[in-house]
Amino acid sequence: MHTKTMEGLAGASMSMKLMNTPMRVYKEAERRGDTAVMERAMGYASDFADEAEDYRKTTKKGMKEDAKEAREKAKTEQENAIQKRREQREELEKRIAESRNEDTDTVSISESGKAALDGKSDLAQAGTNGSISTEETADDIKKEPVIYTISGEAAGSEPGASFSASV
C-alpha cells in the first residue's frame, strides 16, 4: 500500500472521530438553547469535515499511484516472462540442432537375427494368413517350463509332480 493511501485513510478516520466531540457539544448547546456555543461547535465540526475531505483526496491520489505502480510491475513481469520464454526456446533449438549434428549410433542385425525375425513375423501372421495351421504354431509355442537352481543350472521338472496354489 502506498504511503499516501495509508496517510489518507488514517487521517480521514481520525478527523471523523474528532468531529464527534463538537457534534456532542452542539447537541448539548441546542438543548440549552445557547446559539453562540452551537455556532462555535458547528465551526469546529465543519473544520474536521473539511480536513476529512482533504485526507480523502490524498487517499484517492495514493490509490491512483498504487494502481499505476501495479500496472508497471505487471508489465515488467510480463516482459521478463516473455524474455525467459524466448531464451528457453533458443536453448531448446540449440539442443535440437546439436542432436541433429551429433554422430548417431547405428544398429546392425546379423543374418541369424534376421532369420529369427523372419520366423517371428511368420508366426505373427499365422492367424491372418492361414498358410500355417494353428496346430503347428501351438507346437512351436508349447515348451516345458524350466526351473533354475541357486547355482544357475536348469533343474528338470519331475514328471507327475503337480503344483497347486490356493488364494
Side-chain angles (χ1 to χ4, degrees):
M1 187 179 276
H2 199 268
T3 308
K4 287 185 179 180
T5 306
M6 291 188 301
E7 178 187 343
L9 290 172
S13 174
M14 197 57 160
S15 294
M16 292 304 289
K17 288 178 183 177
L18 290 174
M19 191 170 64
N20 288 336
T21 304
M23 289 303 292
R24 252 183 303 177
V25 171
Y26 174 82
K27 289 178 184 177
E28 287 177 20
E30 185 179 30
R31 271 187 256 135
R32 288 187 313 233
D34 191 358
T35 57
V37 173
M38 287 172 48
E39 288 177 12
R40 270 192 317 229
M42 282 308 287
Y44 289 128
S46 176
D47 290 342
F48 285 126
D50 292 341
E51 198 173 306
E53 179 64 23
D54 291 341
Y55 280 119
R56 185 189 68 83
K57 289 177 183 176
T58 304
T59 303
K60 193 172 184 179
K61 286 179 186 177
M63 290 174 65
K64 284 182 181 179
E65 290 176 10
D66 282 342
K68 183 180 178 182
E69 288 177 8
R71 282 191 302 268
E72 290 173 359
K73 183 178 179 183
K75 185 177 179 181
T76 303
E77 288 176 359
Q78 184 180 19
E79 289 172 357
N80 290 340
I82 290 170
Q83 182 64 29
K84 187 175 180 181
R85 282 188 219 124
R86 284 181 186 156
E87 290 172 0
Q88 289 174 348
R89 188 180 319 129
E90 289 173 2
E91 184 178 322
L92 181 63
E93 289 173 358
K94 286 179 185 178
R95 287 185 195 166
I96 291 171
E98 288 175 2
S99 66
R100 288 181 185 164
N101 294 338
E102 289 181 7
D103 293 333
T104 56
D105 294 336
T106 57
V107 176
S108 60
I109 301 174
S110 66
E111 293 300 322
S112 61
K114 288 180 184 177
L117 182 63
D118 289 338
K120 285 185 180 179
S121 64
D122 289 343
L123 288 176
Q125 294 177 357
T128 58
N129 191 352
S131 62
I132 301 175
S133 68
T134 56
E135 293 172 1
E136 292 175 2
T137 57
D139 290 339
D140 290 338
I141 295 172
K142 192 176 195 181
K143 292 187 178 182
E144 291 295 321
V146 178
I147 299 174
Y148 292 95
T149 63
I150 295 175
S151 62
E153 297 174 2
S157 62
E158 298 177 11
S162 63
F163 296 100
S164 65
S166 63
V167 180

